[in-house]
Amino acid sequence: MFYLSLIEHTLRLPPHILHLPVDEAIKSELETLFLDKVIAKLGLCISVYDIRSIKGGFIFPGDGASTYTVEFRLIVFRPFIGEIIVAKLKESDASGLRLSLGFFDDIYIPAHLLPTPSRFEAIPHTRNQGRWIWDFGDAEEAQSEEPRFVIDGSDPIKFRVDSVIYPSIPLEQPENSKPFAPMVITGTINYDGLGPVSWWEEAEMIQEDE
Amino acid sequence: MMSGEEEENAAELKIGEEFLKAKCLMNCEVALILEHKYEQLQQMSDDPMNQVSQVFEKSLQYVKRFSRYKNPDAVRQVREILSRYQLAEFELCVLGNLCPETVEEAIAMVPSIKTKGRAHDDDAIERMLNDLSLIKKFE
């Protein structure tokens, strides 16, 4: 979900942008500070929407730069538990799925939150890659060459947010570990209407046995 | 910081206070805002792509792709219509983003609209969805 959040922040204008008009310099500095950064509980900052007020302009002793207190609005992306979001498949392995929104891609659907029953079909000669298949319907159909409910990235996937965490920055990271993710979404697709959108377009044409 | 038992849960409308007060934006509104900003940058410089960050570009791509309404008048109407139904801001935005076609779908996507004590019976939800689908027709 996108939000317009009102923020107050005190910042220094570094000397190299002092030639710009104050509001432009401040906008530029705010963008450098906030864009594409995650602030815990606020979310991922997408864009500065507007600047509501600028106060200050004082130069503190010993400092070559002026300090301002700015009130401004940011467009942020902040998921909430229970929210339904559409995303694209980024990776698929035995532990589950990884999804992406393009601007944010730390979304994981662990194997236990896939529709039950699901099975993983590994791609031979690859390291852990493969596709997940939902074994819905009668056994013969599910085991057939072309099972109907496959997750292969060909269409967008709707998921429900199960949890959102904001891990703290680690002091040390072992070499070759995954890059630090400041916001991680765990999702589920184990409900009606969730999963690849094509699964549910067909559903209208099939008679429910229930 | 992991949340405890009282963690925010959209289904029970126990979302943290900040969510209810912050102004939520539908994907189609974000698309208009970012598009407008991109056009302003285009007017100001020869190479707007140089000025926009990756996150801006990818966000614009995402919201354009997943917006049901493109026309600014239609976007405004969506918010106006949904605002008549006593929804929380986030409920309004989820409905505006996902555009459910049936009452069952709407309740599945936003279970809080059927929480006990709220004024939304199936007829009201049906009327709301009908109003929304009319906008799509005239886009």
Side-chain angles (χ1 to χ4, degrees), chain A residues 1-4 27 31 35-36 46-49 75 78 80-81 84-86 101-103 156 160 165, chain B residues 2 8 10 19 23-25 27 30 33 37 53 55 58-59 62-63 65-66 90 93-94 98 108-109:
Chain A
M1 173 77 42
F2 292 98
Y3 294 87
L4 207 49
K27 182 128 181 287
E31 288 178 345
L35 292 205
D36 208 7
I46 305 286
S47 175
V48 174
Y49 179 69
I75 298 178
R78 182 176 71 238
F80 61 84
I81 294 174
I84 300 198
I85 302 179
V86 189
L101 304 176
F103 60 93
R160 179 185 300 178
I165 60 169
Chain B
M2 302 296 277
E8 45 195 51
F19 284 84
K23 187 150 167 58
C24 301
L25 298 171
N27 291 348
V30 177
I33 293 171
K37 189 162 166 151
S53 61
V55 72
K58 300 275 174 175
S59 305
Y62 179 86
V63 292
R65 170 94 166 76
F66 295 110
F90 79 92
C93 289
V94 174
L98 298 174
M109 290 173 187

Side-chain angles (χ1 to χ4, degrees), chain B residues 23-128:
Chain B
K23 187 150 167 58
C24 301
L25 298 171
M26 294 184 281
N27 291 348
C28 52
E29 290 170 322
V30 177
L32 290 178
I33 293 171
L34 295 184
E35 190 73 73
H36 177 69
K37 189 162 166 151
Y38 185 70
E39 279 161 22
Q40 283 183 320
L41 287 173
Q42 272 181 325
Q43 281 168 9
M44 282 178 4
S45 101
D46 295 320
D47 185 15
M49 281 320 293
N50 228 356
Q51 313 227 357
V52 305
S53 61
Q54 261 243 330
V55 72
F56 180 96
E57 192 193 326
K58 300 275 174 175
S59 305
L60 179 52
Q61 250 173 35
Y62 179 86
V63 292
K64 275 167 78 159
R65 170 94 166 76
F66 295 110
S67 294
R68 294 303 189 92
Y69 308 94
K70 315 281 182 196
N71 177 306
D73 288 326
V75 172
R76 202 173 337 120
Q77 275 197 318
V78 172
R79 188 170 274 272
E80 251 172 75
I81 286 176
L82 290 177
S83 300
R84 296 185 209 149
Y85 289 89
Q86 289 149 25
L87 299 162
E89 273 245 13
F90 79 92
E91 292 173 329
L92 186 155
C93 289
V94 174
L95 290 171
N97 281 344
L98 298 174
C99 298
E101 314 219 315
T102 66
V103 174
E104 291 76 34
E105 262 188 84
I107 296 171
M109 290 173 187
V110 193
S112 52
I113 58 180
K114 278 293 260 189
T115 308
K116 261 189 269 190
R118 299 192 68 193
H120 301 113
D121 58 3
D122 286 8
D123 286 338
I125 300 174
E126 177 118 34
R127 274 201 303 277
M128 175 175 71

Side-chain angles (χ1 to χ4, degrees), chain A residues 24-155:
Chain A
E24 265 182 56
I26 287 188
K27 182 128 181 287
S28 164
E29 187 59 14
L30 287 177
E31 288 178 345
T32 305
L33 287 174
F34 289 93
L35 292 205
D36 208 7
K37 308 279 193 330
V38 170
I39 298 176
K41 303 303 175 107
L42 184 69
L44 173 68
C45 303
I46 305 286
S47 175
V48 174
Y49 179 69
D50 63 1
I51 295 179
R52 307 252 284 195
S53 73
I54 300 172
K55 297 196 179 79
F58 304 112
I59 299 178
F60 289 101
D63 195 348
S66 16
T67 297
Y68 296 87
T69 297
V70 189
E71 216 185 47
F72 60 103
R73 289 188 287 189
L74 275 178
I75 298 178
V76 298
F77 169 72
R78 182 176 71 238
F80 61 84
I81 294 174
E83 182 179 356
I84 300 198
I85 302 179
V86 189
K88 298 217 306 247
L89 182 67
K90 185 178 163 91
E91 280 164 23
S92 170
D93 64 24
S95 63
L97 308 173
R98 183 176 178 183
L99 306 183
S100 169
L101 304 176
F103 60 93
F104 179 80
D105 56 13
D106 292 309
I107 303 170
Y108 297 90
I109 319 283
H112 70 275
L113 293 180
L114 294 172
T116 44
S118 286
R119 65 187 153 91
F120 181 67
E121 200 179 73
I123 298 173
H125 311 304
T126 63
R127 268 189 71 207
N128 213 16
Q129 283 170 53
R131 61 182 191 170
W132 281 92
I133 299 166
W134 180 27
D135 284 336
F136 176 78
D138 56 68
E140 283 166 35
E141 205 185 77
Q143 297 297 327
S144 69
E145 272 309 305
E146 267 321 302
R148 195 198 287 144
F149 299 111
V150 177
I151 302 175
D152 59 10
S154 53
D155 58 325

